[in-house]
Amino acid sequence: MEDSSTDRRSRMARGGIEENILAILDATDSKDDQDTNDDRIAFLDAVRAASIDQDNATPPTNKMYEAVFQILRVGKSVELIMESYRLLNELDKSFPRVYLANKGAESSEFVAIEEAWSPFVFNLDITSGEKETAGKSSGPFDSSAFHLLVQDLVEVTNETSFQTSKIKSLGKMLLFQYLIDVLEGDFLSRNKAYKETMNWVLLRESLLSMLLTSRRINYKVLMKDCLSIMCRLCQYLAELNNDLGSSDSSVEKPSQNGNPAVAIALTEVGSSTSIALQKLLKIILELDVSRKQADVQGCTTRADGVRTPLVEIILDELTYDRDMLYQFLQIFNEPKWKLEIILQYFSKYIAKPSVRTRRSNSPIEDDGTFIGVLKGFSNVTTTKNITKRIGQDIVQMLLAHAFQAHLSLPSAEKDADGIFDSEDKFSSKSLVEICENVISAFSSLKRTDERMEILPFGKEALFTAATILSINS
């Protein structure tokens, strides 16, 4: 009897919340006073209490989800933006749209809640009313709305002064982060299920795949915009930190031009936005690997479309923009993919032997691996050819970051540096041999030009390699 009354009170409370939803939606864009903001905060608290804080909580209705999402999209205070963002993530963790249910020790069952609310709508058969609202503040995101958001972030990171529209920028970055979290959560479950079942349909129907294959966006432009944002965020955050930490009275403080709390929040949110961009790049790179595998098995169709692998787009951008190359290597912290990108970058400039013999010192297993790249610097002649095409500083930077990425790899992945077709390239190489070859590569660089200065990151790589060798000697 007590449980029945509890459920009744819960339903009544939920009904009371929903009665006020339309009023909140109508007021969100038109009012921006403290009373209205207090009402919105109270609404967010009520949703949290009804759907998260209770022991037997149930997910919010779609209207409630939409109201929270709308507050994130159009909120005009730091508190509203942060609280709605936090609540949406809490709800997604408590009530996932897709997940893997354990069936046994070696397999799991993929489960998708079809009726679950989603911030995205990519279906081709959506109604005309849904098309009109897709991308607007009151509706879900379609692919073109997602690209428009990315373009807004490009403008944010292009600004010469970060003292204007701070709250707007904060909201856009948190909105982007939330959408990436949704894409990642959907993709990771599906990709794991795909690897177990080899059912390509699971990935074809992923939110990420539907976004990238949409004809309403230019995929290459979208990826270039994401790279641009990620690299420029480095300068963006540096300027914000300088403004916050400068003691020079001639420098305008955040408190002199707006709320200092917003500026501080921007540094944190800007950093987490950079991480979100890395997440997006990583899941696209992983999708490309699964797509290639499905292609080989003949599982893909014309409906999957044709996409340039993201690695190729990244390499093209880094090859023709040396500033971006430096920023990318500083920011991108996914060791597996960072190493793969550097190895493919080097592969453009390291000549492969035209003839191989059984006694060759460069066995075919080394092709495309870090040890294979290091052996390209085995003598002064080949080293000079590489530096002539790339430049000494760039070579040092690439070698240092490749070594760092290799050291950061899980031990199971260090034996096969090449990501693509890694099973065919499997080659057991000890850490000692890697360190010896790193030192040898820098020695060859020095022999090509005795006036060349070893740069700080190069010295750090040499010190690390020498330390490892001394420990293992």
Side-chain angles (χ1 to χ4, degrees):
M1 203 63 180
E2 182 179 348
D3 291 341
S4 177
S5 62
T6 300
D7 291 342
R8 190 183 308 113
R9 287 196 301 269
S10 177
R11 288 194 299 271
M12 289 175 64
R14 187 177 298 273
I17 293 172
E18 289 207 45
E19 286 179 5
N20 293 306
I21 287 178
L22 292 178
I24 292 172
L25 294 177
D26 292 338
T28 302
D29 290 319
S30 59
K31 293 184 180 180
D32 188 31
D33 54 57
Q34 189 58 47
D35 288 341
T36 305
N37 286 342
D38 289 343
D39 288 342
R40 296 169 191 156
I41 291 295
F43 166 72
L44 297 176
D45 290 340
V47 174
R48 178 179 281 105
S51 299
I52 294 177
D53 295 341
Q54 295 185 19
D55 292 336
N56 297 316
T58 55
T61 64
N62 284 356
K63 280 188 177 181
M64 293 164 70
Y65 260 119
E66 289 168 7
V68 178
F69 187 55
Q70 183 179 349
I71 291 174
L72 172 61
R73 296 183 69 174
V74 300
K76 296 179 176 63
S77 75
V78 175
E79 185 180 16
L80 272 176
I81 294 169
M82 297 294 289
E83 286 303 312
S84 56
Y85 169 74
R86 186 177 296 114
L87 177 56
L88 284 169
N89 279 287
E90 290 174 358
L91 291 171
D92 286 353
K93 289 179 181 178
S94 299
F95 311 104
R97 300 172 188 85
V98 298
Y99 61 91
L100 295 176
N102 291 328
K103 288 177 58 179
E106 298 182 355
S107 64
S108 54
E109 180 183 5
F110 177 77
V111 179
I113 310 300
E114 298 296 337
E115 66 274 13
W117 176 85
S118 172
F120 291 106
V121 55
F122 297 131
N123 294 333
L124 298 178
D125 57 350
I126 59 176
T127 66
S128 58
E130 288 175 320
K131 289 181 180 179
E132 291 176 0
T133 59
K136 295 182 180 180
S137 62
S138 59
F141 260 65
D142 61 7
S143 53
S144 59
F146 181 82
H147 197 174
L148 286 174
L149 174 61
V150 170
Q151 290 174 335
D152 286 342
L153 293 179
V154 171
E155 293 182 8
V156 168
T157 55
N158 274 337
E159 291 177 1
T160 56
S161 172
F162 303 114
Q163 302 299 327
T164 59
S165 302
K166 287 181 177 179
I167 294 180
K168 186 177 180 181
S169 300
L170 183 72
K172 288 183 181 298
M173 286 193 286
L174 283 175
L175 174 59
F176 177 78
Q177 288 179 44
Y178 173 66
L179 295 176
I180 298 305
D181 286 340
V182 172
L183 290 173
E184 182 189 42
D186 178 78
F187 171 78
L188 292 180
S189 295
R190 290 176 179 274
N191 199 40
K192 186 174 181 180
Y194 165 73
K195 290 179 179 179
E196 292 181 359
T197 64
M198 303 312 293
N199 180 5
W200 171 246
V201 175
L202 290 173
L203 284 179
R204 177 187 294 156
E205 295 178 351
S206 69
L207 295 174
L208 181 65
S209 180
M210 288 190 285
L211 169 66
L212 300 180
T213 56
S214 171
R215 296 180 180 179
R216 304 183 68 183
I217 63 169
N218 186 315
Y219 164 68
K220 284 189 177 181
V221 173
L222 175 63
M223 292 299 96
K224 290 178 181 180
D225 284 343
C226 288
L227 284 171
S228 175
I229 296 166
M230 190 179 75
C231 292
R232 287 174 180 170
L233 270 174
C234 181
Q235 180 181 354
Y236 175 91
L237 295 173
E239 292 188 19
L240 279 174
N241 284 320
N242 288 338
D243 286 346
L244 290 170
S246 175
S247 59
D248 188 346
S249 60
S250 64
V251 178
E252 185 178 39
K253 304 294 193 304
S255 58
Q256 295 174 321
N257 194 357
N259 188 343
V262 180
I264 294 172
L266 271 176
T267 62
E268 297 298 325
V269 174
S271 178
S272 54
T273 300
S274 176
I275 294 172
L277 284 157
Q278 293 184 52
K279 286 182 182 179
L280 177 60
L281 296 182
K282 180 182 177 181
I283 58 177
I284 295 174
L285 291 165
E286 296 288 353
L287 175 61
D288 286 345
V289 172
S290 295
R291 164 70 184 261
K292 182 178 180 181
Q293 186 179 29
D295 283 341
V296 171
Q297 296 177 342
C299 298
T300 57
T301 66
R302 290 184 178 181
D304 294 298
V306 178
R307 266 194 311 110
T308 303
L310 180 55
V311 166
E312 294 183 20
I313 297 175
I314 293 175
L315 285 172
D316 285 344
E317 291 298 292
L318 301 186
T319 300
Y320 297 107
D321 190 335
R322 296 298 173 89
D323 290 336
M324 180 178 284
L325 173 62
Y326 175 79
Q327 294 166 342
F328 180 85
L329 293 176
Q330 290 293 321
I331 297 171
F332 194 64
N333 292 320
E334 295 290 342
K336 168 184 171 182
W337 288 108
K338 185 175 186 177
L339 181 58
E340 177 65 21
I341 289 167
I342 294 174
L343 296 182
Q344 293 206 27
Y345 190 103
F346 269 127
S347 70
K348 293 184 174 184
Y349 303 100
I350 296 180
K352 296 179 175 61
S354 56
V355 178
R356 296 184 183 272
T357 67
R358 291 183 180 180
R359 296 182 181 182
S360 172
N361 291 327
S362 300
I364 194 168
E365 302 93 66
D366 287 341
D367 283 355
T369 66
F370 187 31
I371 194 68
V373 166
L374 291 173
K375 286 184 177 181
F377 295 88
S378 59
N379 60 70
V380 175
T381 301
T382 56
T383 301
K384 188 175 292 186
N385 289 335
I386 297 169
T387 56
K388 189 179 296 183
R389 301 178 69 184
I390 302 179
Q392 294 176 345
D393 291 355
I394 298 295
V395 169
Q396 288 191 56
M397 181 171 61
L398 291 170
L399 287 174
H401 280 282
F403 184 46
Q404 179 191 55
H406 178 83
L407 293 178
S408 300
L409 284 173
S411 57
E413 297 181 16
K414 288 182 180 179
D415 290 332
D417 293 321
I419 304 302
F420 300 112
D421 302 323
S422 59
E423 291 183 356
D424 296 333
K425 296 176 180 178
F426 185 88
S427 180
S428 178
K429 300 296 179 183
S430 69
L431 181 58
V432 169
E433 184 178 1
I434 292 288
C435 292
E436 289 173 345
N437 279 275
V438 167
I439 294 173
S440 175
F442 275 93
S443 297
S444 291
L445 283 172
K446 190 67 176 175
R447 287 198 298 271
T448 62
D449 183 1
E450 294 183 357
R451 295 173 299 176
M452 184 193 78
E453 179 183 358
I454 302 296
L455 300 175
F457 39 77
K459 292 178 180 178
E460 183 178 346
L462 287 172
F463 176 78
T464 301
T467 302
I468 293 172
L469 288 177
S470 65
I471 292 174
N472 288 274
S473 61

